[in-house]
Amino acid sequence: MPIDPKIALGATLPGQKFAWSPSDVQLYHLGLGAGARWTDPAELRYLDDRSPQVLPTFATVAATLRATEAPRVSMPGVEIDLAKVVHASQEVVVHRPIPAEGKASSTGRISELWDKGSAAVVVQETAVTGSDGQPLWTARSSIFAKGEGGFGGERGPSTRSELPDRAPDFDVTTPTLPQQALLYRMCGDRNPLHSDPEFAHDAGFPDPILHGLCTYGIVCKTAVDTVLGSDAARVTGFRARFAGVLYPGESIRSRMWLGTGEVHIAASVPEREHAPVLADVRLTFSS
């Protein structure tokens, strides 16, 4: 049985110790397309050699930057074929700006497990502490596993939110490169779904798709650049639900509604009749 809820729910995940450097931060930002405005001082803050500012979404790759093998979906009570899995949602809450260089340790657990009938949703929560013993960030992520439901668990709540009933305050279209997924995979996500055409075909896609976390990072950067004057240190959190796929070389349209200390975002693909790619997107920030 791939999922055993009695073992999985609440299970502690192996802790990790990891470190990163300014070069790692630069690589991550380049994987998101940073540097397109190569003479803009605000843009170059992401790529400074000694002290680049750090997008909060760097938290999603900080512990896996050195990975060279495809990931496995193997946790206590959970064993799932990678080809059946898609990323469902991601949230990062930063307790202070992430430094350009650092060491940290993480602790995690399976916090939620939902039975959708034909599929399962597994939610992980990870807390990360810096070498000084102080919290750095907390991350929550969920995966959607096709064909793995039916284990008798609860269906779970609906988390969809409504967008404001007015025109967006900002409407920005961001291009991606044909080689975007091949660049981003250097940050440690070697899932062949993003690089191997045959694997992608077997998984039901016409071509390799862009990593959901790459799209997630691109939209966060777009919002930071548009709303916060490219000041990543002001971001306190960023969350999104993965609502569709993006193929490398397509564009991302980000419609943004500004509120008090927050931005709500809808991200879609103009080349495919504005098919959604991220939904329920919310960036929070300090004044």
Side-chain angles (χ1 to χ4, degrees):
M1 185 176 181
I3 296 179
D4 184 338
K6 293 181 180 179
I7 296 175
L9 189 58
T12 299
L13 302 175
Q16 289 182 277
K17 293 184 181 296
F18 54 95
W20 64 95
S21 69
S23 292
D24 295 325
V25 173
Q26 289 175 302
L27 175 64
Y28 173 71
H29 290 156
L30 287 169
L32 302 181
R37 304 189 311 276
W38 67 95
T39 60
D40 183 343
E43 179 80 352
L44 293 175
R45 292 173 64 189
Y46 294 106
L47 301 169
D48 184 84
D49 283 330
R50 295 191 178 185
S51 186
Q53 70 166 349
V54 186
L55 283 168
T57 53
F58 177 74
T60 62
V61 304
T64 57
L65 279 161
R66 305 292 180 264
T68 57
E69 300 293 330
R72 295 178 59 210
V73 186
S74 179
M75 295 172 274
V78 177
E79 293 289 341
I80 303 173
D81 181 352
L82 184 62
K84 295 182 177 181
V85 171
V86 294
H87 206 147
S89 67
Q90 181 70 51
E91 179 177 12
V92 173
V93 175
V94 285
H95 306 296
R96 50 181 163 142
I98 300 174
E101 184 170 12
K103 295 180 179 179
S105 59
S106 69
T107 58
R109 65 189 181 98
I110 299 176
S111 59
E112 298 172 36
L113 187 62
W114 305 118
D115 186 344
K116 300 296 185 180
S118 61
V121 175
V122 183
V123 183
Q124 302 175 60
E125 184 170 310
T126 304
V128 174
T129 302
S131 58
D132 60 359
Q134 298 302 307
L136 270 176
W137 67 78
T138 302
R140 283 174 53 86
S141 65
S142 67
I143 58 172
F144 184 88
K146 295 176 286 186
E148 301 298 335
F151 53 82
E154 295 183 21
R155 184 170 181 82
S158 173
T159 57
R160 298 189 180 189
S161 58
E162 296 295 327
L163 292 169
D165 186 19
R166 58 181 175 82
D169 297 296
F170 306 95
D171 193 333
V172 180
T173 298
T174 307
T176 67
L177 299 170
Q179 66 269 38
Q180 200 80 58
L182 300 177
L183 283 167
Y184 185 82
R185 71 194 296 264
M186 302 306 292
C187 295
D189 189 337
R190 303 304 179 101
N191 187 336
L193 180 62
H194 309 295
S195 60
D196 185 334
E198 184 175 350
F199 187 95
H201 295 164
D202 291 344
F205 299 98
D207 291 301
I209 63 176
L210 190 62
H211 306 70
L213 285 179
C214 184
T215 303
Y216 176 83
I218 291 171
V219 172
C220 181
K221 181 179 182 297
T222 299
V224 170
D225 291 343
T226 304
V227 180
L228 303 181
S230 299
D231 187 357
R234 291 180 61 190
V235 181
T236 58
F238 187 66
R239 74 180 187 199
R241 177 172 56 84
F242 300 98
V245 299
L246 185 80
Y247 293 94
E250 292 183 325
S251 302
I252 306 170
R253 180 189 181 191
S254 299
R255 292 178 297 141
M256 295 172 259
W257 289 263
L258 182 60
T260 303
E262 63 181 11
V263 185
H264 290 271
I265 307 167
S268 60
V269 187
E271 292 89 343
R272 283 188 279 115
E273 299 181 343
H274 300 286
V277 62
L278 292 182
D280 300 327
V281 188
R282 180 173 177 258
L283 180 145
T284 56
F285 60 91
S286 61
S287 57

